[in-house]
Amino acid sequence: MLLVGLTGNIGSGKSTVAQLLSERGATIIDADVLSRRAVEVGTPAYKAIVERWGTSILDASGMLDRGALRRIVFSEPTELEQLNAFVHPEVERMRDKLVQQARMRGDKLVVCDIPLLFERKMTDSFDKIVLVDAPRPMRLERLVRERGLKETEAMEMIVAQMPAELKRARADFVIDNVGTLAQLDARVGEVWSALEQSAELTASHAFEG
């Protein structure tokens, strides 16, 4: 099985790339989905978050108000680190379980969508790293237009991540998402072909072993 780490700074279009890879047959394990599951009402992470930041970060139904929490943590690095400390261990536990299940099923190509792959020093856990990138002004504009964020809020989220320039040199594949969806799809197709070749090599080596 080929285990691929998919990452990209916020607003790069990483989720779209994950969808395009899924359509080509990849098994996708999405960190955002897992992080939501990790903070559902009653979980240890949920209880720790409420204890730390109080009930002002809950919505009317008692669930986490992600917008309210985001406004607190992205303006203060130590608060963001604390939130990650509550959530990430559970996300990693769930991801490991899903990877193991995929391995048992015989899935050939598993893509883990992880926004903070480089920041959390997880590169060694994967056979290949795919980075989705776009210029900062373009990512800022997408966050404001598509997610309805204020510009200051969007900038705080952008600067909280490692600069993409540092990530590009350490990625096996870079997908620049600066054109049309058709152009992005074509580039994803090129990367998919290369990943399939790597997956076949991995499978043949395992068979020989």
Side-chain angles (χ1 to χ4, degrees):
M1 185 179 90
L2 191 77
L3 190 59
V4 178
L6 172 67
T7 193
N9 283 9
I10 192 161
S12 63
K14 176 176 55 61
S15 297
T16 305
V17 170
Q19 177 61 35
L20 293 171
L21 289 170
S22 173
E23 289 168 7
R24 285 169 166 83
T27 300
I28 305 293
I29 299 174
D30 188 338
D32 284 339
V33 172
L34 298 184
S35 66
R36 284 188 175 86
R37 214 176 286 167
V39 297
E40 286 173 352
V41 177
T43 60
Y46 172 91
K47 291 173 183 173
I49 289 166
V50 174
E51 194 172 310
R52 171 69 185 246
W53 289 291
T55 54
S56 65
I57 48 90
L58 300 179
D59 63 19
S61 65
M63 296 173 69
L64 286 186
D65 181 336
R66 294 169 74 88
L69 186 57
R70 186 174 61 229
R71 284 188 286 278
I72 293 171
V73 302
F74 278 103
S75 59
E76 182 54 61
T78 55
E79 299 292 279
L80 180 58
E81 197 52 46
Q82 183 60 72
L83 176 63
N84 288 338
F86 290 150
V87 178
H88 281 184
E90 179 61 12
V91 169
E92 288 181 25
R93 187 192 67 76
M94 288 190 283
R95 181 188 302 117
D96 289 346
K97 185 177 179 183
L98 289 171
V99 168
Q100 190 57 36
Q101 288 172 354
R103 208 181 291 279
M104 297 289 284
R105 284 195 305 267
D107 294 6
K108 290 185 173 58
L109 217 158
V110 176
V111 176
C112 293
D113 180 342
I114 306 175
L116 299 177
L117 188 146
F118 285 99
E119 288 85 347
R120 307 304 294 182
K121 299 179 172 56
M122 297 172 65
T123 50
D124 290 346
S125 302
F126 298 94
D127 302 311
K128 298 290 180 185
I129 305 293
V130 177
L131 173 72
V132 186
D133 195 20
R136 183 181 280 198
M138 188 177 281
R139 292 190 285 116
L140 177 63
E141 194 259 335
R142 285 175 185 160
L143 289 174
V144 172
R145 185 185 72 236
E146 296 170 14
R147 302 199 195 180
L149 298 177
K150 293 177 182 172
E151 197 164 303
T152 51
E153 203 176 351
M155 273 307 298
E156 283 177 349
M157 296 177 78
I158 286 172
V159 300
Q161 294 181 317
M162 182 190 294
E165 295 75 23
L166 299 177
K167 299 179 179 182
R168 292 177 74 96
R170 298 169 61 194
D172 296 292
F173 302 96
V174 178
I175 297 175
D176 285 303
N177 181 19
V178 294
T180 64
L181 183 58
Q183 288 169 325
L184 179 64
D185 187 56
R187 175 62 182 141
V188 170
E190 293 169 3
V191 172
W192 175 252
S193 295
L195 291 175
E196 277 194 311
Q197 287 180 354
S198 293
E200 284 166 18
L201 275 173
T202 300
S204 64
H205 288 161
F207 183 74
E208 288 164 10

